[in-house]
Amino acid sequence: MKTIGLIGGLSWESTSVYYSYINRYVQRELGGIHSAKCLIYSFDFEEIASLQRSGNWEVATSRMVEAAKCLEKGGAELIVICTNTMHLMADDIKKACNIPLIHIVDCVVSEIQNQSISRVGLLGTKFTMEQSFYKKLLNKHDIDVLIPSEKDRQVIHDVIFNELCKGNLKDSSKEKYLDIIRKLVEDGAEGIILGCTEIPLLIKQDDTEIPLFDTTQIHANKVAELGLQDKSNSPLTI
């Protein structure tokens, strides 16, 4: 079993879900009271969120690279960023470390392709929806990406930071999200990426008929699977 290095606290709400999914996967596969070998570097999210709000991505990148190096030095054999937005600096972490980083979009692409879907709606923070780092990886695999209107993007973003990151789940916010999803379906979306690791706390597959891609569960399960690969297996494959 490999030691998994988790960059968490982005927010801790979703990091706890990652930890649960990974350990439950390992226990299902190995039985008994087995659990995953993990190291967690947990940020004070307010520090990172402040850098995001100010657009200080250079400092945010240095902090993320520092966290990854700390995990590698501690014995981690693969790196996992427990959030979507901070994959913005995934390439920088890959360059700085000698262990693989398991990219969340690579895992999601595989699930989308398994369902033969070619057009998806993307929900997430404004950074994830508006910047190109996420969408270009989907486009690379011939997956078209639709994003909500500017007004709806703000609603999604505000609910994430003002409610979900604090563990506050409101029915009124769920209805707003479901209405935004309906609009994306009307525009041609065949599936919806829950591209923020907090969104699945609020929106479940039972809430809508359109296929939902829960990035938290998809990413965590793939990471657990790779963590159980024999150490002689190289390289890791998604």
Side-chain angles (χ1 to χ4, degrees):
M1 185 189 303
K2 297 181 179 69
T3 300
I4 300 168
L6 304 167
I7 302 179
L10 302 163
S11 69
W12 75 263
E13 290 281 352
S14 59
T15 304
S16 67
V17 178
Y18 264 89
Y19 187 71
S20 177
Y21 279 143
I22 289 170
N23 280 287
R24 290 183 186 282
Y25 185 100
V26 169
Q27 189 172 58
R28 285 196 305 270
E29 291 298 309
L30 300 183
I33 55 174
H34 282 285
S35 56
K37 295 173 64 177
C38 296
L39 299 174
I40 302 177
Y41 187 110
S42 188
F43 280 103
D44 173 0
F45 189 34
E46 177 56 38
E47 295 178 5
I48 299 298
S50 178
L51 293 171
Q52 291 176 342
R53 289 192 296 268
S54 65
N56 198 341
W57 295 103
E58 183 177 351
V59 173
T61 298
S62 68
R63 295 292 307 281
M64 290 290 288
V65 169
E66 176 186 332
K69 286 183 174 180
C70 182
L71 290 168
E72 182 177 20
K73 185 176 180 180
E77 295 167 274
L78 55 90
I79 295 292
V80 184
I81 303 173
C82 298
T83 181
N84 283 269
T85 297
M86 300 307 278
H87 278 76
L88 177 65
M89 53 280 298
D91 289 342
D92 296 277
I93 292 174
K94 287 180 181 179
K95 292 174 184 176
C97 296
N98 296 311
I99 56 177
L101 179 145
I102 311 306
H103 202 297
I104 196 167
V105 180
D106 291 335
C107 301
V108 174
V109 163
S110 294
E111 289 298 316
I112 294 172
Q113 291 175 329
N114 286 343
Q115 295 198 35
S116 300
I117 287 175
S118 60
R119 177 171 288 181
V120 295
L122 175 62
L123 306 185
T125 66
K126 289 185 69 176
F127 315 117
T128 296
M129 291 185 289
E130 295 177 358
Q131 297 193 36
S132 63
F133 74 99
Y134 205 97
K135 292 177 284 187
K136 71 179 181 181
L137 290 177
L138 293 163
N139 294 155
K140 181 179 176 181
H141 293 276
D142 297 321
I143 299 170
D144 292 332
V145 182
L146 303 176
I147 62 171
S149 68
E150 183 177 358
K151 179 181 177 181
D152 286 343
R153 293 197 300 273
Q154 190 65 54
V155 169
I156 294 167
H157 185 89
D158 288 345
V159 168
I160 290 169
F161 280 92
N162 298 333
E163 299 173 21
L164 303 185
C165 286
K166 300 176 182 179
N168 189 4
L169 310 179
K170 295 183 179 180
D171 288 339
S172 58
S173 295
K174 174 182 281 193
E175 286 306 314
K176 291 176 183 177
Y177 270 47
L178 291 175
D179 183 57
I180 292 169
I181 288 172
R182 283 190 285 269
K183 294 176 187 176
L184 289 169
V185 172
E186 289 173 359
D187 288 339
E190 303 167 282
I192 302 294
I193 297 174
L194 305 184
C196 170
T197 48
E198 279 78 28
I199 293 177
L201 299 172
L202 183 68
I203 301 296
K204 311 293 184 185
Q205 185 61 71
D206 289 344
D207 295 320
T208 180
E209 295 182 358
I210 191 76
L212 300 180
F213 296 96
D214 177 344
T215 55
T216 306
Q217 185 167 31
I218 292 169
H219 197 202
N221 284 348
K222 177 54 67 173
V223 165
E225 177 189 335
L226 295 173
L228 291 177
Q229 283 186 3
D230 189 283
K231 291 189 178 185
S232 63
N233 289 352
S234 181
L236 294 175
T237 55
I238 302 300

Coordinates of all heavy atoms in Angstrom, one line a residue, residues 37-71:
K37 N -3.1 4.4 4.3 CA -1.9 5.1 4.8 C -1.9 6.5 4.3 O -1.7 6.7 3.1 CB -0.6 4.4 4.5 CG -0.5 3.0 5.1 CD 0.7 2.2 4.6 CE 2.0 2.9 5.0 NZ 3.2 2.1 4.5
C38 N -2.1 7.5 5.1 CA -2.2 8.9 4.6 C -1.4 9.9 5.5 O -1.2 9.7 6.7 CB -3.7 9.4 4.7 SG -4.9 8.5 3.7
L39 N -1.0 10.9 4.8 CA -0.4 12.1 5.4 C -1.3 13.3 5.0 O -1.7 13.3 3.8 CB 1.0 12.4 5.0 CG 2.1 11.3 5.4 CD1 3.4 11.7 4.7 CD2 2.2 11.2 6.9
I40 N -1.6 14.2 5.9 CA -2.5 15.3 5.5 C -1.8 16.6 5.9 O -1.4 16.8 7.0 CB -3.9 15.3 6.2 CG1 -4.6 14.0 5.8 CG2 -4.7 16.5 5.8 CD1 -6.0 13.8 6.5
Y41 N -1.6 17.5 4.9 CA -1.2 18.9 5.1 C -2.5 19.7 5.0 O -3.0 19.9 4.0 CB -0.2 19.3 4.1 CG 0.5 20.7 4.4 CD1 1.8 20.7 4.8 CD2 -0.3 21.8 4.3 CE1 2.4 22.0 5.1 CE2 0.3 23.1 4.5 CZ 1.6 23.1 4.9 OH 2.2 24.4 5.2
S42 N -2.9 20.2 6.2 CA -4.2 21.0 6.2 C -3.9 22.5 6.4 O -3.4 22.9 7.4 CB -5.1 20.4 7.3 OG -6.3 21.0 7.3
F43 N -4.3 23.2 5.4 CA -4.2 24.7 5.4 C -5.2 25.3 6.3 O -6.3 24.7 6.6 CB -4.4 25.3 4.0 CG -3.2 25.2 3.2 CD1 -3.1 24.3 2.1 CD2 -2.1 26.1 3.3 CE1 -2.0 24.2 1.3 CE2 -1.0 26.0 2.5 CZ -0.9 25.1 1.5
D44 N -4.9 26.5 6.8 CA -6.0 27.4 7.3 C -6.6 28.1 6.1 O -5.9 28.9 5.4 CB -5.3 28.5 8.2 CG -6.3 29.6 8.6 OD1 -7.5 29.5 8.2 OD2 -5.9 30.5 9.4
F45 N -7.8 27.6 5.7 CA -8.3 28.0 4.4 C -8.5 29.5 4.2 O -8.4 30.0 3.1 CB -9.7 27.3 4.2 CG -10.2 27.5 2.8 CD1 -9.4 27.5 1.7 CD2 -11.6 27.6 2.6 CE1 -9.9 27.7 0.4 CE2 -12.1 27.7 1.3 CZ -11.3 27.8 0.2
E46 N -8.7 30.2 5.3 CA -8.9 31.7 5.2 C -7.6 32.3 4.6 O -7.7 33.3 3.8 CB -9.1 32.3 6.6 CG -9.3 33.9 6.6 CD -10.3 34.4 5.6 OE1 -11.4 33.7 5.4 OE2 -10.0 35.4 4.9
E47 N -6.4 31.8 4.9 CA -5.2 32.3 4.4 C -5.2 32.1 2.8 O -4.8 33.1 2.1 CB -4.0 31.6 5.0 CG -3.8 31.9 6.5 CD -2.7 31.2 7.1 OE1 -1.9 30.5 6.3 OE2 -2.5 31.2 8.3
I48 N -5.6 31.0 2.4 CA -5.6 30.7 0.9 C -6.7 31.4 0.3 O -6.5 32.0 -0.8 CB -5.7 29.2 0.7 CG1 -4.5 28.4 1.3 CG2 -5.8 28.9 -0.8 CD1 -3.2 28.8 0.8
A49 N -7.9 31.5 0.9 CA -9.0 32.2 0.3 C -8.7 33.7 0.1 O -9.1 34.3 -0.9 CB -10.3 32.0 1.1
S50 N -8.0 34.2 1.1 CA -7.6 35.6 1.0 C -6.7 35.9 -0.2 O -6.8 36.9 -1.0 CB -6.9 36.1 2.2 OG -6.4 37.4 2.2
L51 N -5.8 34.9 -0.5 CA -4.9 35.0 -1.6 C -5.7 34.9 -2.9 O -5.4 35.6 -3.9 CB -3.8 34.0 -1.6 CG -2.8 34.1 -0.4 CD1 -1.9 32.9 -0.4 CD2 -1.9 35.3 -0.7
Q52 N -6.7 34.0 -2.9 CA -7.6 33.9 -4.1 C -8.3 35.2 -4.4 O -8.4 35.6 -5.5 CB -8.6 32.7 -3.9 CG -7.9 31.3 -3.8 CD -9.0 30.3 -3.5 OE1 -10.0 30.6 -3.0 NE2 -8.6 29.0 -3.8
R53 N -8.9 35.7 -3.4 CA -9.7 36.9 -3.5 C -8.9 38.1 -4.1 O -9.4 38.9 -4.9 CB -10.4 37.4 -2.2 CG -11.5 36.4 -1.7 CD -12.3 37.1 -0.6 NE -11.4 37.3 0.6 CZ -11.3 36.4 1.6 NH1 -12.0 35.2 1.5 NH2 -10.6 36.6 2.6
S54 N -7.6 38.2 -3.6 CA -6.8 39.3 -4.0 C -6.1 39.0 -5.4 O -5.4 39.9 -5.9 CB -5.7 39.6 -3.0 OG -4.8 38.5 -2.8
G55 N -6.3 37.8 -5.9 CA -5.6 37.4 -7.2 C -4.1 37.2 -7.0 O -3.4 37.2 -8.0
N56 N -3.7 36.9 -5.8 CA -2.2 36.7 -5.6 C -1.9 35.2 -5.8 O -1.6 34.5 -4.8 CB -1.9 37.1 -4.1 CG -0.4 37.3 -4.0 OD1 0.4 36.8 -4.8 ND2 0.0 38.1 -3.0
W57 N -2.0 34.8 -7.0 CA -1.8 33.4 -7.3 C -0.4 32.9 -7.2 O -0.1 31.8 -7.0 CB -2.4 33.1 -8.7 CG -3.9 33.3 -8.8 CD1 -4.5 34.3 -9.4 CD2 -4.9 32.4 -8.2 NE1 -5.9 34.2 -9.2 CE2 -6.1 33.1 -8.5 CE3 -4.9 31.2 -7.5 CZ2 -7.3 32.5 -8.1 CZ3 -6.1 30.7 -7.1 CH2 -7.3 31.3 -7.4
E58 N 0.5 33.9 -7.3 CA 2.0 33.5 -7.2 C 2.3 33.0 -5.8 O 2.9 32.0 -5.6 CB 2.8 34.7 -7.5 CG 4.3 34.4 -7.5 CD 5.2 35.6 -7.9 OE1 4.6 36.6 -8.4 OE2 6.4 35.5 -7.8
V59 N 1.8 33.8 -4.8 CA 2.0 33.3 -3.4 C 1.3 32.1 -3.1 O 1.8 31.2 -2.4 CB 1.7 34.5 -2.4 CG1 1.8 34.0 -1.0 CG2 2.6 35.7 -2.6
A60 N 0.0 32.0 -3.6 CA -0.8 30.8 -3.4 C -0.1 29.6 -4.0 O -0.1 28.5 -3.4 CB -2.2 30.9 -4.0
T61 N 0.5 29.7 -5.1 CA 1.3 28.6 -5.8 C 2.5 28.2 -4.9 O 2.7 27.0 -4.7 CB 1.8 29.0 -7.2 OG1 0.6 29.3 -8.0 CG2 2.6 27.9 -7.8
S62 N 3.2 29.2 -4.4 CA 4.4 28.8 -3.5 C 3.9 28.1 -2.3 O 4.6 27.2 -1.8 CB 5.1 30.1 -3.2 OG 4.4 30.9 -2.3
R63 N 2.8 28.5 -1.7 CA 2.3 27.8 -0.5 C 1.9 26.3 -0.9 O 2.1 25.4 -0.1 CB 1.1 28.5 0.0 CG 1.4 29.9 0.6 CD 2.3 29.9 1.8 NE 1.7 29.0 2.8 CZ 0.8 29.3 3.7 NH1 0.2 30.6 3.6 NH2 0.4 28.5 4.6
M64 N 1.3 26.1 -2.0 CA 0.9 24.8 -2.4 C 2.1 23.9 -2.7 O 2.1 22.7 -2.3 CB 0.0 24.9 -3.6 CG -1.4 25.5 -3.4 SD -2.5 24.4 -2.4 CE -2.8 23.1 -3.6
V65 N 3.1 24.5 -3.4 CA 4.3 23.7 -3.7 C 5.0 23.3 -2.4 O 5.5 22.2 -2.2 CB 5.2 24.5 -4.6 CG1 6.6 23.9 -4.6 CG2 4.6 24.6 -6.0
E66 N 5.0 24.3 -1.4 CA 5.6 24.0 -0.1 C 4.9 22.9 0.6 O 5.6 22.0 1.2 CB 5.5 25.3 0.7 CG 6.0 25.1 2.2 CD 5.8 26.4 3.0 OE1 5.7 27.5 2.4 OE2 5.6 26.3 4.2
A67 N 3.6 22.9 0.5 CA 2.8 21.8 1.1 C 3.1 20.4 0.5 O 3.3 19.4 1.2 CB 1.3 22.1 1.0
A68 N 3.2 20.4 -0.8 CA 3.5 19.1 -1.5 C 4.9 18.6 -1.2 O 5.1 17.4 -0.9 CB 3.4 19.4 -3.0
K69 N 5.8 19.5 -1.1 CA 7.2 19.1 -0.8 C 7.3 18.6 0.7 O 8.0 17.6 1.0 CB 8.2 20.3 -0.9 CG 8.5 20.7 -2.4 CD 9.5 21.8 -2.4 CE 10.0 22.1 -3.8 NZ 11.0 23.2 -3.8
C70 N 6.5 19.2 1.6 CA 6.4 18.7 2.9 C 5.9 17.3 3.0 O 6.4 16.5 3.7 CB 5.6 19.7 3.7 SG 5.4 19.3 5.5
L71 N 4.9 17.0 2.2 CA 4.3 15.7 2.2 C 5.3 14.7 1.6 O 5.4 13.6 2.1 CB 3.0 15.7 1.4 CG 1.8 16.4 2.0 CD1 0.7 16.6 1.0 CD2 1.3 15.7 3.3

